[in-house]
Amino acid sequence: MAGSLLLLCCCTQIFVRVATAQPSTYSNYQTFYETQWGGDHIQVANNGAQVDMRLDSSSGAGFQSIQSYTYGYFSMGMKLIPGNSAGTCTAFFVSSAGNSHDEIDFEFLGNATGQPYTLQTNMFAGGVGGREQQVRLWFDPTADYHTYAIIWNHVQIIWLVDDTPVRIFKNLQSMGQAYPSSQPTQGIASIFDGSSWVTEGGAIPIDYNYAPFISSYSQFEIDACVNDGVNVPDCATNYQNNWWEGSQYTSLSSSQITSLQNVIQNDTIYDYCKDRVRYPTTPFECSYNYNN
Ligand SMILES: *[C@@H]1O[C@H](CO)[C@@H](O)[C@H](O)[C@H]1NC(C)=O
Ligand SMILES: *[C@@H]1O[C@H](CO)[C@@H](O)[C@H](O)[C@H]1NC(C)=O
């Protein structure tokens, strides 16, 4: 998570986004998830079809997948904090444990009333992160549920917003770059106080007069290779038969690439690949992920 980011011009235009079709079956919260922390700030409703998480001055909250996985599809319907959400961070991510952990993130950075949310994506491989990208969403993410999903296979990671790819990260292990490919990871959702960095680089801290801050979740889905870290996985070696390894997920169609490039060109607020102050030399992976 970057503390101070160089903000670039953001020009949002309307254009057609090309979707990646995913399975559209959804499950209830308890099929996949359990409390991680702040359980008294998690409200499970409609037999698990909907979950609200609450952030107030006493606590935030988080829930995590019961099982751990390597490679697969992680999807969540989310409706973000309405009104004043400055200083709050609402995150949906997959992560392993330990110092050299792997992590693939959606982080929704709150804002003052009437000001737009920022979607920040990031990823860690072998404990190394610092790969933040930020886009302005083309809809109001507080008005309704939208679907945020990660497809993670042995070729690439795809971040999807309502089935539109907004970022990819290619597996460049053959060139010596670390890539999440073996550690057991959990799907995690959390809501927490990010006053020191979230809104305008920390200039607008959380104002608990507006609490409780509530984010809502639905359409829970994880379809991924279970890796309990003990009976070690053929997730990494015997992956061919899993649908998320299909050719439409290991490479994007030309129209998807155009759609992704339009998001990058029209909606980008920040891209670590372009931050010459932070990275005087362009990070190795940047030229492989369509963001140049
Ligand atoms: C933005 O989206 C439009 C499609 O509506 C596309 O033609 C254009 O090339 C994109 N990029 C920029 C920088 O405008
Ligand atoms: C909050 O709103 C301001 C003003 O519109 C904008 O510059 C900023 O990118 C928004 N998001 C965050 C997370 O600060």
Side-chain angles (χ1 to χ4, degrees), residues 135-277:
V135 295
R136 184 78 70 232
L137 294 167
W138 52 93
F139 52 84
D140 176 0
T142 74
D144 214 338
Y145 285 94
H146 290 268
T147 304
Y148 304 95
I150 293 161
I151 289 183
W152 168 30
N153 59 43
H154 82 290
V155 172
Q156 62 187 357
I157 297 160
I158 313 173
W159 286 255
L160 296 158
V161 174
D162 290 332
D163 292 343
T164 296
V166 296
R167 179 174 182 178
I168 67 156
F169 190 96
K170 285 249 165 74
N171 182 350
L172 303 173
Q173 279 176 311
S174 64
M175 302 181 199
Q177 297 293 300
Y179 182 80
S181 58
S182 61
Q183 302 195 59
T185 68
Q186 285 169 287
I188 302 173
S190 62
I191 179 171
F192 56 92
D193 185 334
S195 287
S196 66
W197 63 278
V198 161
T199 306
E200 299 191 19
I204 311 181
I206 206 162
D207 180 350
Y208 282 108
N209 290 317
Y210 291 96
F213 304 99
I214 296 172
S215 52
S216 304
Y217 305 81
S218 69
Q219 299 182 320
F220 304 91
E221 193 56 36
I222 297 177
D223 198 1
C225 185
V226 174
N227 175 2
D228 64 9
V230 180
N231 305 304
V232 176
D234 55 7
C235 298
T237 50
N238 186 23
Y239 46 72
Q240 287 84 354
N241 293 330
N242 297 318
W243 66 259
W244 54 86
E245 297 284 349
S247 57
Q248 66 270 52
Y249 308 109
T250 55
S251 62
L252 301 182
S253 67
S254 58
S255 55
Q256 286 174 329
I257 292 168
T258 302
S259 176
L260 172 60
Q261 286 174 329
N262 281 341
V263 172
I264 290 167
Q265 284 172 13
N266 289 332
D267 302 330
T268 295
I269 301 167
Y270 174 82
D271 183 353
Y272 78 111
C273 285
K274 309 269 163 62
D275 190 339
R276 287 290 77 77
V277 175

